[in-house]
Short mmCIF file of all heavy atoms in Angstrom, two decimals:
data_model
loop_
_atom_site.label_atom_id
_atom_site.label_comp_id
_atom_site.label_asym_id
_atom_site.label_seq_id
_atom_site.Cartn_x
_atom_site.Cartn_y
_atom_site.Cartn_z
N ARG A 297 36.72 -72.45 -73.13
CA ARG A 297 35.84 -71.23 -73.68
C ARG A 297 35.22 -70.63 -72.50
O ARG A 297 35.20 -69.29 -72.44
CB ARG A 297 34.70 -71.81 -74.60
CG ARG A 297 35.22 -72.24 -75.93
CD ARG A 297 34.11 -72.56 -76.94
NE ARG A 297 34.62 -73.55 -77.98
CZ ARG A 297 34.37 -74.81 -77.95
NH1 ARG A 297 33.63 -75.22 -77.08
NH2 ARG A 297 34.95 -75.47 -78.84
N PHE A 312 43.24 -93.53 -94.12
CA PHE A 312 43.92 -94.58 -94.82
C PHE A 312 44.03 -95.74 -93.90
O PHE A 312 43.99 -95.63 -92.76
CB PHE A 312 45.27 -94.04 -95.24
CG PHE A 312 45.41 -93.41 -96.68
CD1 PHE A 312 46.18 -92.28 -96.93
CD2 PHE A 312 44.62 -93.94 -97.82
CE1 PHE A 312 46.29 -91.74 -98.14
CE2 PHE A 312 44.80 -93.28 -99.00
CZ PHE A 312 45.51 -92.28 -99.20
N GLU A 346 25.31 -85.44 -83.20
CA GLU A 346 24.26 -85.90 -82.29
C GLU A 346 24.75 -86.00 -80.79
O GLU A 346 24.02 -85.77 -79.92
CB GLU A 346 23.71 -87.25 -82.66
CG GLU A 346 22.87 -87.17 -83.85
CD GLU A 346 22.44 -88.55 -84.49
OE1 GLU A 346 22.84 -89.57 -83.89
OE2 GLU A 346 21.79 -88.58 -85.46
N LEU A 357 39.49 -82.52 -91.86
CA LEU A 357 40.35 -83.18 -92.90
C LEU A 357 40.30 -84.59 -92.81
O LEU A 357 39.84 -85.14 -91.81
CB LEU A 357 41.94 -82.73 -92.46
CG LEU A 357 42.57 -82.98 -91.26
CD1 LEU A 357 43.05 -84.46 -91.28
CD2 LEU A 357 43.73 -82.07 -91.03
N TYR A 382 65.72 -93.38 -96.15
CA TYR A 382 66.70 -94.18 -96.96
C TYR A 382 66.13 -95.48 -97.12
O TYR A 382 65.19 -96.04 -96.43
CB TYR A 382 67.95 -94.19 -96.15
CG TYR A 382 68.02 -94.87 -94.87
CD1 TYR A 382 68.48 -96.33 -94.82
CD2 TYR A 382 67.45 -94.34 -93.75
CE1 TYR A 382 68.48 -97.03 -93.64
CE2 TYR A 382 67.46 -95.24 -92.58
CZ TYR A 382 67.97 -96.51 -92.56
OH TYR A 382 67.85 -97.23 -91.33
N LYS A 384 66.99 -99.75 -97.32
CA LYS A 384 67.78 -100.60 -96.76
C LYS A 384 67.28 -102.06 -96.90
O LYS A 384 66.21 -102.28 -96.89
CB LYS A 384 67.93 -100.23 -95.29
CG LYS A 384 68.61 -101.19 -94.34
CD LYS A 384 68.85 -100.63 -92.96
CE LYS A 384 67.72 -100.96 -91.92
NZ LYS A 384 67.95 -100.60 -90.55
N GLY A 386 66.92 -105.38 -95.34
CA GLY A 386 66.86 -105.86 -93.94
C GLY A 386 65.93 -107.03 -93.65
O GLY A 386 65.09 -107.23 -94.61
N PRO A 405 54.13 -108.06 -77.84
CA PRO A 405 55.04 -108.86 -77.00
C PRO A 405 55.02 -110.37 -77.29
O PRO A 405 56.07 -111.06 -76.99
CB PRO A 405 54.64 -108.51 -75.59
CG PRO A 405 53.92 -107.12 -75.75
CD PRO A 405 53.24 -107.10 -77.02
N ALA A 432 67.22 -90.10 -81.25
CA ALA A 432 66.94 -91.01 -80.19
C ALA A 432 67.32 -90.20 -78.88
O ALA A 432 66.40 -90.13 -78.01
CB ALA A 432 67.87 -92.25 -80.16
N GLN A 441 60.91 -82.71 -69.99
CA GLN A 441 60.13 -81.62 -70.06
C GLN A 441 58.66 -81.80 -69.89
O GLN A 441 57.85 -80.90 -69.64
CB GLN A 441 60.53 -80.58 -71.01
CG GLN A 441 59.95 -80.89 -72.44
CD GLN A 441 60.75 -80.04 -73.54
OE1 GLN A 441 61.87 -80.04 -73.70
NE2 GLN A 441 59.82 -79.40 -74.37
N ALA A 502 79.02 -114.63 -86.42
CA ALA A 502 79.05 -116.00 -85.89
C ALA A 502 79.45 -116.96 -87.04
O ALA A 502 80.22 -117.85 -87.08
CB ALA A 502 77.72 -116.33 -85.22
N ILE A 559 85.59 -118.30 -77.49
CA ILE A 559 84.31 -117.55 -78.09
C ILE A 559 83.21 -118.68 -78.31
O ILE A 559 83.44 -119.83 -78.77
CB ILE A 559 84.78 -117.09 -79.36
CG1 ILE A 559 85.80 -116.00 -79.31
CG2 ILE A 559 83.43 -116.31 -80.02
CD1 ILE A 559 86.28 -115.48 -80.57
N ASP A 568 70.80 -108.13 -83.42
CA ASP A 568 70.61 -106.78 -83.81
C ASP A 568 70.60 -105.90 -82.68
O ASP A 568 70.02 -104.77 -82.68
CB ASP A 568 69.22 -106.66 -84.57
CG ASP A 568 68.10 -106.97 -83.75
OD1 ASP A 568 68.22 -107.46 -82.61
OD2 ASP A 568 66.93 -106.63 -84.24
N PRO A 578 80.69 -113.48 -65.95
CA PRO A 578 79.69 -114.26 -65.12
C PRO A 578 79.42 -113.71 -63.84
O PRO A 578 78.48 -113.99 -63.17
CB PRO A 578 80.14 -115.68 -65.42
CG PRO A 578 81.55 -115.54 -65.87
CD PRO A 578 81.63 -114.25 -66.60
N VAL A 597 85.24 -112.84 -59.70
CA VAL A 597 84.75 -111.80 -59.14
C VAL A 597 85.57 -110.52 -59.20
O VAL A 597 86.79 -110.62 -58.91
CB VAL A 597 84.46 -111.90 -57.68
CG1 VAL A 597 83.99 -110.67 -56.91
CG2 VAL A 597 83.31 -113.10 -57.50
N THR A 640 75.50 -107.77 -58.89
CA THR A 640 75.17 -106.67 -59.83
C THR A 640 75.36 -105.28 -59.25
O THR A 640 75.27 -104.33 -59.91
CB THR A 640 73.85 -106.89 -60.43
OG1 THR A 640 72.82 -106.99 -59.45
CG2 THR A 640 73.73 -108.07 -61.34
N ASP A 642 76.81 -102.06 -56.51
CA ASP A 642 77.90 -101.37 -56.50
C ASP A 642 78.99 -101.94 -55.52
O ASP A 642 78.60 -102.74 -54.76
CB ASP A 642 77.75 -99.94 -56.26
CG ASP A 642 78.79 -99.03 -56.68
OD1 ASP A 642 79.80 -99.42 -57.08
OD2 ASP A 642 78.54 -97.68 -56.57
N ARG A 680 67.59 -99.28 -77.87
CA ARG A 680 66.74 -100.36 -78.36
C ARG A 680 65.86 -99.83 -79.61
O ARG A 680 65.50 -100.65 -80.37
CB ARG A 680 65.71 -100.61 -77.34
CG ARG A 680 66.14 -101.74 -76.49
CD ARG A 680 65.37 -102.19 -75.34
NE ARG A 680 66.27 -102.42 -74.37
CZ ARG A 680 67.01 -103.49 -74.27
NH1 ARG A 680 66.95 -104.40 -75.41
NH2 ARG A 680 67.92 -103.77 -73.39
N GLN A 713 54.66 -82.82 -110.25
CA GLN A 713 53.79 -83.99 -110.43
C GLN A 713 53.16 -84.39 -109.07
O GLN A 713 52.50 -85.51 -109.07
CB GLN A 713 54.61 -85.14 -110.97
CG GLN A 713 55.03 -84.79 -112.45
CD GLN A 713 56.06 -85.85 -113.04
OE1 GLN A 713 55.98 -87.08 -112.47
NE2 GLN A 713 56.92 -85.43 -113.88
N ASP A 739 49.66 -98.77 -116.05
CA ASP A 739 49.78 -97.30 -116.42
C ASP A 739 50.37 -96.47 -115.44
O ASP A 739 50.94 -95.42 -115.69
CB ASP A 739 48.40 -96.70 -116.87
CG ASP A 739 47.79 -97.47 -118.05
OD1 ASP A 739 48.58 -98.18 -118.63
OD2 ASP A 739 46.68 -97.34 -118.33
N THR A 814 57.82 -83.64 -85.38
CA THR A 814 57.87 -82.36 -84.88
C THR A 814 59.31 -81.89 -84.73
O THR A 814 59.59 -80.74 -85.05
CB THR A 814 57.14 -82.41 -83.48
OG1 THR A 814 55.75 -82.83 -83.65
CG2 THR A 814 57.22 -81.04 -82.82
N LYS A 844 37.96 -105.30 -73.39
CA LYS A 844 38.00 -104.09 -74.16
C LYS A 844 36.96 -104.30 -75.30
O LYS A 844 36.98 -105.20 -76.02
CB LYS A 844 39.40 -103.77 -74.65
CG LYS A 844 39.43 -102.43 -75.41
CD LYS A 844 40.96 -102.30 -76.19
CE LYS A 844 40.77 -101.10 -76.89
NZ LYS A 844 42.05 -100.73 -77.52
N ALA A 972 22.04 -69.92 -58.50
CA ALA A 972 22.41 -71.39 -58.59
C ALA A 972 22.12 -71.96 -59.92
O ALA A 972 22.87 -72.77 -60.45
CB ALA A 972 21.80 -72.19 -57.39
N PRO A 985 25.67 -80.57 -72.76
CA PRO A 985 25.45 -79.21 -73.52
C PRO A 985 23.98 -78.86 -73.88
O PRO A 985 23.60 -77.72 -73.92
CB PRO A 985 26.42 -79.30 -74.61
CG PRO A 985 26.57 -80.64 -74.96
CD PRO A 985 26.52 -81.30 -73.63
#
Side-chain angles (χ1 to χ4, degrees):
R297 283 191 209 102
F312 267 142
E346 285 169 5
L357 63 80
Y382 70 99
K384 164 172 97 169
Q441 75 194 53
I559 305 178
D568 66 350
V597 172
T640 55
D642 203 352
R680 265 175 220 292
Q713 291 174 28
D739 292 347
T814 297
K844 183 186 172 172

